[in-house]
Coordinates of all heavy atoms in Angstrom, one line a residue:
M1 N 0.9 -1.2 0.0 CA 0.0 0.0 0.0 C 0.9 1.2 0.0 O 1.8 1.4 0.9 CB -0.9 0.0 1.2 CG -1.8 1.1 1.3 SD -3.2 1.0 2.5 CE -2.3 1.1 4.0
K2 N 0.7 2.1 -1.0 CA 1.5 3.3 -1.1 C 0.6 4.5 -1.0 O -0.3 4.8 -1.8 CB 2.2 3.3 -2.5 CG 3.2 2.2 -2.6 CD 3.9 2.2 -3.9 CE 4.9 1.1 -3.9 NZ 4.6 -0.1 -4.8
I3 N 0.9 5.3 0.1 CA 0.0 6.5 0.4 C 0.0 7.5 -0.7 O -1.1 8.0 -1.0 CB 0.6 7.1 1.7 CG1 0.6 6.1 2.9 CG2 -0.3 8.4 2.1 CD1 -0.7 5.4 3.1
P4 N 1.1 7.8 -1.4 CA 1.0 8.8 -2.5 C 0.1 8.3 -3.6 O -0.6 9.1 -4.2 CB 2.5 8.8 -3.0 CG 3.3 8.5 -1.9 CD 2.5 7.4 -1.1
A5 N 0.0 7.0 -3.9 CA -0.9 6.5 -4.9 C -2.4 6.7 -4.5 O -3.2 7.0 -5.3 CB -0.6 5.0 -5.2
I6 N -2.6 6.4 -3.2 CA -4.0 6.6 -2.7 C -4.4 8.1 -2.7 O -5.5 8.4 -3.2 CB -4.1 6.1 -1.3 CG1 -3.8 4.6 -1.3 CG2 -5.4 6.4 -0.6 CD1 -3.6 3.9 0.1
R7 N -3.4 9.0 -2.3 CA -3.7 10.4 -2.3 C -4.0 10.9 -3.7 O -5.0 11.6 -4.0 CB -2.5 11.2 -1.8 CG -2.8 12.7 -1.8 CD -1.6 13.5 -1.3 NE -1.3 13.3 0.1 CZ -1.9 14.0 1.1 NH1 -2.8 14.9 0.8 NH2 -1.7 13.7 2.4
K8 N -3.3 10.4 -4.7 CA -3.5 10.8 -6.1 C -4.9 10.4 -6.6 O -5.6 11.1 -7.2 CB -2.4 10.1 -7.0 CG -2.5 10.5 -8.4 CD -1.3 9.9 -9.2 CE -1.4 10.2 -10.7 NZ -0.3 9.6 -11.4
L9 N -5.3 9.2 -6.2 CA -6.7 8.7 -6.6 C -7.7 9.6 -5.9 O -8.7 9.9 -6.6 CB -6.9 7.2 -6.2 CG -6.1 6.2 -7.0 CD1 -6.2 4.8 -6.4 CD2 -6.6 6.2 -8.4
V10 N -7.6 9.9 -4.7 CA -8.5 10.7 -3.9 C -8.6 12.1 -4.5 O -9.7 12.6 -4.7 CB -8.2 10.8 -2.4 CG1 -9.0 11.8 -1.7 CG2 -8.4 9.4 -1.8
E11 N -7.5 12.7 -4.9 CA -7.5 14.1 -5.4 C -8.0 14.2 -6.8 O -8.4 15.3 -7.2 CB -6.1 14.6 -5.2 CG -5.6 14.9 -3.8 CD -4.2 15.3 -3.7 OE1 -3.4 15.3 -4.6 OE2 -3.8 15.7 -2.5
N12 N -7.9 13.2 -7.6 CA -8.1 13.3 -9.0 C -9.3 12.6 -9.5 O -9.6 12.6 -10.7 CB -6.9 12.8 -9.8 CG -5.7 13.7 -9.5 OD1 -5.8 14.9 -9.6 ND2 -4.6 13.1 -9.2
N13 N -10.1 11.9 -8.7 CA -11.2 11.0 -9.2 C -12.4 11.2 -8.3 O -12.3 11.4 -7.1 CB -10.8 9.6 -9.3 CG -9.6 9.4 -10.2 OD1 -9.8 9.5 -11.4 ND2 -8.4 9.2 -9.7
S14 N -13.6 11.0 -8.9 CA -14.8 11.0 -8.1 C -15.0 9.6 -7.5 O -14.4 8.6 -8.0 CB -16.0 11.3 -9.1 OG -16.2 10.3 -10.0
L15 N -16.0 9.5 -6.6 CA -16.3 8.2 -6.0 C -16.8 7.3 -7.1 O -16.5 6.1 -7.1 CB -17.4 8.4 -4.9 CG -17.7 7.3 -4.0 CD1 -16.5 6.7 -3.4 CD2 -18.8 7.7 -3.0
E16 N -17.6 7.8 -8.0 CA -18.2 6.9 -9.1 C -17.0 6.4 -10.0 O -17.1 5.2 -10.4 CB -19.1 7.7 -10.0 CG -20.4 8.1 -9.3 CD -20.2 9.3 -8.3 OE1 -19.3 10.1 -8.4 OE2 -21.1 9.4 -7.3
E17 N -16.0 7.2 -10.3 CA -14.9 6.7 -11.1 C -14.1 5.6 -10.4 O -13.7 4.6 -11.0 CB -14.0 7.9 -11.5 CG -14.6 8.9 -12.4 CD -13.8 10.1 -12.6 OE1 -13.1 10.6 -11.6 OE2 -13.7 10.7 -13.7
L18 N -14.0 5.8 -9.1 CA -13.2 4.9 -8.3 C -14.0 3.5 -8.2 O -13.4 2.5 -8.3 CB -12.9 5.4 -6.9 CG -11.9 6.6 -6.9 CD1 -11.9 7.2 -5.5 CD2 -10.5 6.1 -7.2
M19 N -15.3 3.6 -8.0 CA -16.1 2.4 -7.9 C -16.1 1.7 -9.2 O -16.1 0.4 -9.3 CB -17.5 2.7 -7.4 CG -17.4 3.2 -6.0 SD -19.0 3.6 -5.3 CE -19.5 1.9 -4.9
A20 N -16.1 2.4 -10.4 CA -16.0 1.8 -11.7 C -14.6 1.1 -11.8 O -14.5 0.0 -12.4 CB -16.2 2.8 -12.8
A21 N -13.6 1.7 -11.3 CA -12.2 1.1 -11.4 C -12.2 -0.1 -10.6 O -11.6 -1.1 -11.0 CB -11.2 2.2 -10.9
E22 N -12.8 -0.1 -9.4 CA -12.8 -1.3 -8.5 C -13.5 -2.4 -9.3 O -13.0 -3.6 -9.3 CB -13.6 -1.0 -7.3 CG -13.8 -2.2 -6.4 CD -14.7 -1.9 -5.2 OE1 -15.1 -0.7 -5.0 OE2 -15.1 -2.9 -4.5
E23 N -14.6 -2.2 -9.9 CA -15.4 -3.2 -10.6 C -14.5 -3.7 -11.8 O -14.5 -4.9 -12.0 CB -16.7 -2.7 -11.1 CG -17.5 -3.7 -11.8 CD -18.9 -3.2 -12.2 OE1 -19.4 -2.3 -11.6 OE2 -19.5 -3.8 -13.1
A24 N -13.8 -2.8 -12.5 CA -13.0 -3.3 -13.6 C -11.9 -4.2 -13.2 O -11.6 -5.2 -13.8 CB -12.5 -2.1 -14.4
I25 N -11.2 -3.8 -12.1 CA -10.1 -4.6 -11.6 C -10.6 -6.0 -11.1 O -10.0 -7.0 -11.4 CB -9.4 -3.9 -10.5 CG1 -8.7 -2.6 -11.0 CG2 -8.3 -4.8 -9.8 CD1 -8.1 -1.7 -10.0
V26 N -11.7 -6.0 -10.4 CA -12.3 -7.3 -9.9 C -12.6 -8.2 -11.1 O -12.5 -9.4 -11.1 CB -13.5 -7.0 -9.0 CG1 -14.3 -8.3 -8.8 CG2 -13.1 -6.4 -7.7
N27 N -13.1 -7.6 -12.2 CA -13.5 -8.3 -13.4 C -12.3 -8.6 -14.4 O -12.5 -9.0 -15.5 CB -14.6 -7.6 -14.1 CG -15.9 -7.7 -13.4 OD1 -16.2 -8.7 -12.7 ND2 -16.7 -6.6 -13.4
E28 N -11.1 -8.3 -13.8 CA -9.8 -8.5 -14.6 C -9.8 -7.7 -15.9 O -9.3 -8.2 -16.9 CB -9.6 -10.0 -14.9 CG -9.5 -10.8 -13.6 CD -9.2 -12.3 -13.8 OE1 -9.2 -12.7 -15.0 OE2 -9.1 -13.0 -12.8
E29 N -10.4 -6.5 -15.8 CA -10.4 -5.6 -17.0 C -9.5 -4.4 -16.6 O -9.2 -4.2 -15.4 CB -11.8 -5.1 -17.3 CG -12.7 -6.2 -17.7 CD -14.2 -5.8 -17.7 OE1 -14.5 -4.6 -17.4 OE2 -15.0 -6.6 -18.1
S30 N -9.1 -3.6 -17.5 CA -8.3 -2.4 -17.3 C -9.3 -1.2 -16.9 O -10.3 -1.0 -17.5 CB -7.6 -1.9 -18.5 OG -6.6 -2.9 -18.9
P31 N -9.0 -0.6 -15.7 CA -9.8 0.5 -15.3 C -9.7 1.7 -16.3 O -8.6 1.9 -16.9 CB -9.3 0.9 -13.9 CG -8.0 0.3 -13.8 CD -7.9 -0.8 -14.8
A32 N -10.7 2.6 -16.4 CA -10.7 3.7 -17.2 C -9.8 4.8 -16.7 O -9.4 5.7 -17.4 CB -12.1 4.3 -17.4
I33 N -9.5 4.8 -15.4 CA -8.6 5.8 -14.8 C -7.3 5.1 -14.5 O -7.1 3.9 -14.4 CB -9.2 6.3 -13.4 CG1 -9.4 5.2 -12.4 CG2 -10.5 7.1 -13.7 CD1 -9.8 5.7 -11.0
E34 N -6.2 6.0 -14.3 CA -4.9 5.5 -14.0 C -4.9 5.1 -12.5 O -5.2 5.9 -11.7 CB -3.8 6.5 -14.3 CG -2.4 6.1 -14.0 CD -1.4 7.1 -14.1 OE1 -1.7 8.2 -14.6 OE2 -0.2 6.9 -13.8
V35 N -4.5 3.8 -12.3 CA -4.3 3.4 -10.9 C -2.9 2.8 -10.8 O -2.5 1.9 -11.5 CB -5.3 2.2 -10.6 CG1 -5.1 1.8 -9.2 CG2 -6.8 2.7 -10.8
E36 N -2.1 3.4 -9.9 CA -0.7 2.9 -9.7 C -0.7 1.7 -8.8 O -1.6 1.5 -8.0 CB 0.1 4.0 -9.0 CG 0.3 5.3 -9.8 CD 1.0 6.4 -9.1 OE1 1.6 6.1 -8.0 OE2 1.0 7.5 -9.6
G37 N 0.2 0.8 -9.1 CA 0.4 -0.4 -8.3 C 1.2 -1.4 -9.1 O 1.2 -1.4 -10.3
E38 N 1.9 -2.3 -8.4 CA 2.8 -3.2 -9.0 C 2.0 -4.4 -9.6 O 2.5 -5.1 -10.5 CB 3.8 -3.7 -8.0 CG 4.8 -2.7 -7.6 CD 5.9 -3.2 -6.7 OE1 6.2 -4.4 -6.7 OE2 6.5 -2.4 -6.0
D39 N 0.9 -4.7 -9.0 CA 0.0 -5.8 -9.6 C -1.5 -5.4 -9.3 O -1.8 -4.4 -8.7 CB 0.4 -7.1 -9.0 CG 0.3 -7.1 -7.5 OD1 -0.5 -6.4 -6.9 OD2 1.2 -7.8 -6.8
E40 N -2.3 -6.3 -9.8 CA -3.8 -6.0 -9.6 C -4.2 -5.9 -8.2 O -5.1 -5.2 -7.8 CB -4.6 -7.1 -10.4 CG -4.3 -7.1 -11.9 CD -4.5 -5.8 -12.6 OE1 -5.5 -5.2 -12.4 OE2 -3.6 -5.4 -13.3
G41 N -3.6 -6.7 -7.3 CA -3.9 -6.7 -5.9 C -3.6 -5.4 -5.3 O -4.4 -4.8 -4.5
E42 N -2.4 -4.8 -5.6 CA -2.0 -3.5 -5.0 C -2.9 -2.4 -5.6 O -3.3 -1.5 -4.9 CB -0.6 -3.2 -5.3 CG -0.1 -2.0 -4.6 CD 1.4 -1.7 -4.8 OE1 1.9 -1.8 -5.9 OE2 2.0 -1.4 -3.8
K43 N -3.2 -2.5 -6.9 CA -4.1 -1.5 -7.5 C -5.5 -1.6 -6.8 O -6.1 -0.5 -6.5 CB -4.3 -1.8 -9.0 CG -3.0 -1.5 -9.8 CD -3.2 -1.8 -11.3 CE -2.0 -1.5 -12.1 NZ -2.1 -1.8 -13.5
L44 N -6.0 -2.7 -6.6 CA -7.3 -2.9 -5.9 C -7.2 -2.3 -4.5 O -8.2 -1.6 -4.0 CB -7.8 -4.3 -5.9 CG -9.2 -4.6 -5.3 CD1 -10.2 -3.8 -6.1 CD2 -9.5 -6.1 -5.4
T45 N -6.1 -2.6 -3.8 CA -5.9 -2.0 -2.4 C -6.0 -0.5 -2.5 O -6.6 0.2 -1.7 CB -4.6 -2.5 -1.9 OG1 -4.6 -3.9 -1.7 CG2 -4.3 -1.8 -0.5
H46 N -5.3 0.1 -3.5 CA -5.3 1.6 -3.6 C -6.7 2.1 -3.8 O -7.1 3.1 -3.3 CB -4.3 2.0 -4.7 CG -2.9 1.7 -4.3 ND1 -1.9 1.6 -5.3 CD2 -2.3 1.5 -3.1 CE1 -0.8 1.4 -4.7 NE2 -0.9 1.3 -3.4
V47 N -7.4 1.5 -4.7 CA -8.8 1.9 -5.1 C -9.7 1.8 -3.9 O -10.5 2.7 -3.6 CB -9.3 1.2 -6.3 CG1 -10.8 1.5 -6.5 CG2 -8.5 1.5 -7.6
L48 N -9.6 0.7 -3.2 CA -10.5 0.5 -2.0 C -10.2 1.5 -0.9 O -11.1 2.0 -0.3 CB -10.4 -1.0 -1.5 CG -10.9 -2.1 -2.4 CD1 -10.5 -3.4 -1.8 CD2 -12.4 -1.9 -2.6
A49 N -8.9 1.8 -0.7 CA -8.6 2.8 0.3 C -9.1 4.2 -0.1 O -9.7 4.9 0.7 CB -7.1 2.9 0.4
A50 N -9.0 4.5 -1.4 CA -9.5 5.8 -1.9 C -11.0 5.9 -1.8 O -11.5 6.9 -1.4 CB -9.1 6.0 -3.4
V51 N -11.7 4.8 -2.0 CA -13.2 4.8 -1.9 C -13.5 5.0 -0.4 O -14.4 5.9 -0.1 CB -13.8 3.5 -2.4 CG1 -15.2 3.3 -1.9 CG2 -13.7 3.4 -3.9
F52 N -12.9 4.3 0.5 CA -13.1 4.5 1.9 C -12.9 6.0 2.3 O -13.7 6.6 3.0 CB -12.2 3.6 2.7 CG -12.4 3.8 4.2 CD1 -13.4 3.1 4.9 CD2 -11.6 4.6 4.9 CE1 -13.5 3.3 6.3 CE2 -11.7 4.8 6.3 CZ -12.7 4.1 7.0
I53 N -11.7 6.5 1.9 CA -11.4 7.9 2.3 C -12.3 8.9 1.8 O -12.8 9.8 2.5 CB -9.9 8.2 1.9 CG1 -9.0 7.3 2.8 CG2 -9.6 9.7 2.0 CD1 -7.5 7.3 2.2
L54 N -12.7 8.8 0.5 CA -13.7 9.7 -0.1 C -15.0 9.6 0.7 O -15.7 10.7 0.9 CB -13.9 9.4 -1.6 CG -12.9 10.1 -2.5 CD1 -13.2 9.8 -3.9 CD2 -12.9 11.6 -2.3
N55 N -15.5 8.4 1.0 CA -16.7 8.3 1.8 C -16.6 9.0 3.1 O -17.5 9.7 3.6 CB -17.1 6.8 2.0 CG -17.8 6.2 0.8 OD1 -18.6 6.9 0.2 ND2 -17.5 5.0 0.5
E56 N -15.4 8.9 3.8 CA -15.2 9.5 5.1 C -15.2 11.1 4.9 O -15.7 11.8 5.7 CB -13.9 9.0 5.7 CG -14.0 7.6 6.2 CD -15.1 7.4 7.3 OE1 -15.0 8.1 8.3 OE2 -16.0 6.6 7.1
M57 N -14.5 11.5 3.8 CA -14.4 13.0 3.6 C -15.8 13.6 3.3 O -16.0 14.8 3.6 CB -13.4 13.2 2.4 CG -12.0 12.9 2.8 SD -10.8 13.0 1.5 CE -10.7 14.8 1.3
E58 N -16.7 12.8 2.8 CA -18.1 13.3 2.6 C -18.8 13.6 3.9 O -19.7 14.3 4.0 CB -18.9 12.4 1.7 CG -18.5 12.4 0.3 CD -19.3 11.5 -0.6 OE1 -20.2 10.8 -0.1 OE2 -19.1 11.5 -1.8
K59 N -18.2 13.0 5.0 CA -18.7 13.2 6.4 C -18.0 14.3 7.1 O -18.0 14.3 8.3 CB -18.6 11.9 7.2 CG -19.4 10.7 6.6 CD -19.1 9.5 7.4 CE -19.5 8.2 6.7 NZ -19.0 7.0 7.4
E60 N -17.2 15.1 6.3 CA -16.4 16.2 6.9 C -15.2 15.7 7.6 O -14.7 16.4 8.5 CB -17.3 17.1 7.8 CG -18.5 17.6 7.1 CD -18.2 18.5 5.9 OE1 -17.3 19.3 5.9 OE2 -19.0 18.5 4.9
V61 N -14.7 14.6 7.3 CA -13.4 14.1 7.9 C -12.3 14.5 6.9 O -12.5 14.3 5.7 CB -13.5 12.5 8.1 CG1 -12.2 12.0 8.6 CG2 -14.6 12.2 9.0
D62 N -11.2 15.0 7.5 CA -10.1 15.4 6.6 C -9.3 14.1 6.1 O -9.5 13.0 6.7 CB -9.1 16.3 7.3 CG -8.4 15.7 8.5 OD1 -9.0 15.7 9.6 OD2 -7.3 15.2 8.3
F63 N -8.5 14.3 5.1 CA -7.8 13.2 4.4 C -7.0 12.4 5.4 O -7.0 11.2 5.4 CB -6.9 13.7 3.3 CG -6.1 12.7 2.6 CD1 -6.7 11.9 1.6 CD2 -4.8 12.5 3.0 CE1 -5.9 10.8 1.0 CE2 -4.0 11.5 2.4 CZ -4.6 10.6 1.4
K64 N -6.2 13.1 6.2 CA -5.2 12.5 7.1 C -6.0 11.6 8.1 O -5.6 10.5 8.4 CB -4.4 13.5 7.9 CG -3.3 14.0 7.0 CD -2.4 14.9 7.8 CE -1.2 15.5 7.0 NZ -0.3 16.3 7.7
S65 N -7.1 12.1 8.7 CA -7.8 11.3 9.7 C -8.5 10.1 9.0 O -8.5 9.0 9.6 CB -8.9 12.2 10.3 OG -8.3 13.3 11.0
A66 N -9.0 10.3 7.8 CA -9.6 9.2 7.1 C -8.6 8.1 6.7 O -8.8 6.9 6.9 CB -10.3 9.7 5.8
L67 N -7.4 8.6 6.3 CA -6.3 7.6 6.0 C -5.9 6.9 7.3 O -5.7 5.7 7.2 CB -5.1 8.4 5.4 CG -3.9 7.5 5.1 CD1 -4.2 6.4 4.1 CD2 -2.8 8.4 4.6
R68 N -5.8 7.6 8.4 CA -5.4 7.0 9.6 C -6.4 5.9 10.0 O -6.0 4.8 10.5 CB -5.3 8.1 10.7 CG -4.6 7.6 12.0 CD -4.4 8.7 13.0 NE -3.7 9.9 12.4 CZ -4.3 11.1 12.4 NH1 -5.5 11.4 12.8 NH2 -3.6 12.1 11.8
E69 N -7.7 6.2 9.9 CA -8.7 5.2 10.2 C -8.6 4.0 9.3 O -8.8 2.9 9.8 CB -10.1 5.9 10.1 CG -11.3 4.9 10.4 CD -11.3 4.4 11.8 OE1 -10.6 4.9 12.7 OE2 -12.0 3.4 11.9
Y70 N -8.4 4.2 8.0 CA -8.3 3.1 7.1 C -7.1 2.2 7.5 O -7.2 1.0 7.5 CB -8.1 3.6 5.6 CG -8.0 2.5 4.7 CD1 -9.2 1.8 4.3 CD2 -6.8 2.1 4.1 CE1 -9.1 0.8 3.4 CE2 -6.7 1.0 3.2 CZ -7.9 0.4 2.9 OH -7.8 -0.7 2.0
T71 N -5.9 2.8 7.7 CA -4.8 2.0 8.1 C -4.9 1.3 9.4 O -4.5 0.2 9.6 CB -3.5 2.9 8.1 OG1 -3.6 4.0 9.0 CG2 -3.1 3.4 6.7
R72 N -5.7 1.9 10.3 CA -6.0 1.2 11.6 C -6.8 0.0 11.3 O -6.5 -1.1 11.9 CB -6.7 2.2 12.5 CG -7.0 1.6 13.9 CD -8.0 2.4 14.7 NE -9.3 2.5 14.1 CZ -10.2 1.5 14.1 NH1 -10.0 0.3 14.7 NH2 -11.4 1.6 13.5
M73 N -7.8 0.1 10.4 CA -8.7 -1.0 10.1 C -7.8 -2.1 9.5 O -8.0 -3.3 9.7 CB -9.8 -0.6 9.2 CG -10.8 0.2 9.9 SD -12.2 0.8 8.8 CE -12.0 0.0 7.3
V74 N -6.9 -1.8 8.6 CA -6.1 -2.8 7.9 C -5.2 -3.5 8.9 O -5.1 -4.7 8.9 CB -5.2 -2.1 6.8 CG1 -4.2 -3.1 6.2 CG2 -6.1 -1.6 5.7
R75 N -4.6 -2.7 9.8 CA -3.7 -3.3 10.8 C -4.5 -4.3 11.7 O -4.0 -5.4 12.0 CB -3.1 -2.2 11.7 CG -1.9 -1.6 11.1 CD -1.1 -0.8 12.1 NE -1.9 0.2 12.9 CZ -2.2 1.4 12.5 NH1 -1.7 1.9 11.4 NH2 -3.0 2.2 13.2
E76 N -5.7 -3.9 12.1 CA -6.5 -4.8 12.9 C -6.9 -6.0 12.2 O -7.0 -7.1 12.8 CB -7.8 -4.0 13.4 CG -7.5 -3.1 14.5 CD -8.7 -2.3 15.0 OE1 -9.8 -2.7 14.6 OE2 -8.5 -1.5 15.9
S77 N -7.2 -5.9 10.9 CA -7.6 -7.1 10.1 C -6.4 -8.1 9.9 O -6.7 -9.3 9.8 CB -8.2 -6.7 8.8 OG -7.2 -6.2 7.9
I78 N -5.2 -7.6 9.9 CA -4.0 -8.4 9.8 C -3.7 -9.1 11.1 O -3.3 -10.3 11.1 CB -2.8 -7.6 9.3 CG1 -3.1 -7.1 7.9 CG2 -1.5 -8.4 9.3 CD1 -2.1 -6.1 7.4
S79 N -3.8 -8.4 12.2 CA -3.4 -9.0 13.5 C -4.5 -9.9 14.1 O -5.5 -10.1 13.6 CB -3.0 -7.9 14.5 OG -4.1 -7.1 14.7

């Protein structure tokens, strides 16, 4: 997971574009937007993080707090 790639997705795409990219990656298709990542798994991780963060930002949460919450959830799911 690369924070700059997630930030780029959040700053340059709408929630609808990100959700379409998620669907394309899951269906093993190329997304219409540029998604950085070494493989499809990393690309999907970046898109899912960006979707979560944009949803949080719609609730008036700033980017850093939303990112912190996302990474906390990831850490808890791993441990």
Side-chain angles (χ1 to χ4, degrees):
M1 181 167 69
K2 296 181 177 107
I3 304 306
I6 296 168
R7 179 182 292 276
K8 184 176 176 182
L9 288 172
V10 169
E11 291 176 348
N12 296 310
N13 299 287
S14 68
L15 189 56
E16 292 76 22
E17 290 171 325
L18 292 169
M19 294 183 78
E22 175 188 352
E23 185 175 334
I25 294 169
V26 168
N27 291 325
E28 300 180 0
E29 299 170 356
S30 295
I33 61 173
E34 179 184 355
V35 180
E36 296 178 11
E38 293 185 21
D39 56 35
E40 298 306 309
E42 186 175 47
K43 289 179 182 181
L44 185 58
T45 297
H46 292 158
V47 170
L48 292 173
V51 167
F52 177 87
I53 291 167
L54 274 181
N55 277 320
E56 291 298 304
M57 291 175 74
E58 287 183 356
K59 301 175 197 171
E60 305 298 323
V61 176
D62 65 275
F63 176 83
K64 285 185 178 181
S65 297
L67 177 62
R68 192 174 308 119
E69 177 64 16
Y70 182 78
T71 56
R72 183 193 62 78
M73 289 178 9
V74 170
R75 281 194 308 273
E76 285 182 4
S77 71
I78 294 171
S79 59

